[in-house]
Amino acid sequence: MAARRAAAQVADNVKRKTFLKRNIPAGRATPAPPLGPELGQMQVQIAAFCKDFNEKTSHIKPGTPIPTEISVNPDRSFNINLLKPPIAYFLLQAAGSQKGATKAGHQTAGMITLKHVYEIALIKSEDPSFACHSLEQVCKTIIGQAHGMGIKIVQKNIELEEYKRFKVQRAEEVEQEERELEELRLSKMLRL
């Protein structure tokens, strides 16, 4: 009896994680790693969480990364707070790119207009992280992140033919980079 009481006291003293922030693809929450084990450590019913999350994100394009805040109550129930997708996701979607530039100051991964920046800022200004920021400050943050990703901001509308030529050139650059990375990996493996 005393051993049981001692074990219960130790269990009460153990602090379990009660908050998790993670990007989860919309409509694609699964019990598989890394999400499943993290929820298991928090003593959350994984199947119930996945079902609830997938229902809440069913109106969003599947696969869109959704920053999600999960808080666990003492009775092991949970609260899900969904935020807007990251700025990088919106920038890549607006630019029509798969990934940013590896050498941001020397390469251009895509081009967007100031109208795109404004539209992204309107969406992101609803997030709690931007609650105390003006729309102008949110726009400056987005422009800074775009430059860091190698996305060029243009003043005027982009001509379709010009952008098609740019996309072909960019695809060739990405292909060349991937070949160089593969050669580098192979050379490292040969050294071993």
Side-chain angles (χ1 to χ4, degrees), residues 36-175:
E38 288 179 337
L39 292 173
Q41 290 173 357
M42 295 169 60
Q43 300 178 349
V44 171
Q45 293 180 357
I46 301 167
F49 171 82
C50 291
K51 181 181 177 190
D52 192 23
F53 177 83
N54 290 338
E55 284 176 7
K56 285 185 176 188
T57 59
S58 62
H59 66 284
I60 301 171
K61 178 181 170 186
T64 302
I66 304 294
T68 308
E69 296 174 345
I70 306 156
S71 58
V72 182
N73 302 324
D75 64 348
R76 294 197 289 172
S77 63
F78 54 86
N79 299 320
I80 301 173
N81 184 21
L82 303 176
L83 304 175
K84 303 294 181 199
I87 294 172
Y89 172 78
F90 285 123
L91 288 172
L92 290 173
Q93 291 294 310
S97 298
Q98 296 295 318
K99 63 179 188 174
T102 53
K103 301 171 189 165
H106 305 286
Q107 293 177 329
T108 303
M111 292 185 266
I112 61 173
T113 62
L114 287 174
K115 184 176 180 180
H116 289 115
V117 172
Y118 177 74
E119 294 295 328
I120 295 169
L122 283 177
I123 294 169
K124 288 303 286 182
S125 65
E126 297 172 7
D127 269 358
S129 59
F130 290 110
C132 298
H133 294 80
S134 68
L135 199 57
E136 181 182 354
Q137 291 170 324
V138 177
C139 286
K140 287 180 180 180
T141 302
I142 292 168
I143 290 170
Q145 189 161 349
H147 287 302
M149 295 173 64
I151 295 176
K152 184 178 177 183
I153 312 290
V154 295
Q155 299 282 333
K156 57 180 177 58
N157 286 336
I158 304 165
E159 295 295 326
L160 185 60
E161 291 302 319
E162 176 188 346
Y163 201 67
K164 283 182 181 179
R165 285 192 301 272
F166 167 77
K167 293 297 285 180
V168 169
Q169 178 187 356
R170 175 67 182 149
E172 292 170 359
E173 287 177 7
V174 168
E175 190 177 310

Side-chain angles (χ1 to χ4, degrees), residues 12-28:
D12 287 341
N13 291 335
V14 172
K15 299 288 184 197
R16 63 184 171 93
K17 190 174 177 182
T18 60
F19 186 79
L20 176 68
K21 187 171 182 179
R22 163 122 4 242
N23 283 356
I24 306 172
R28 295 187 181 161

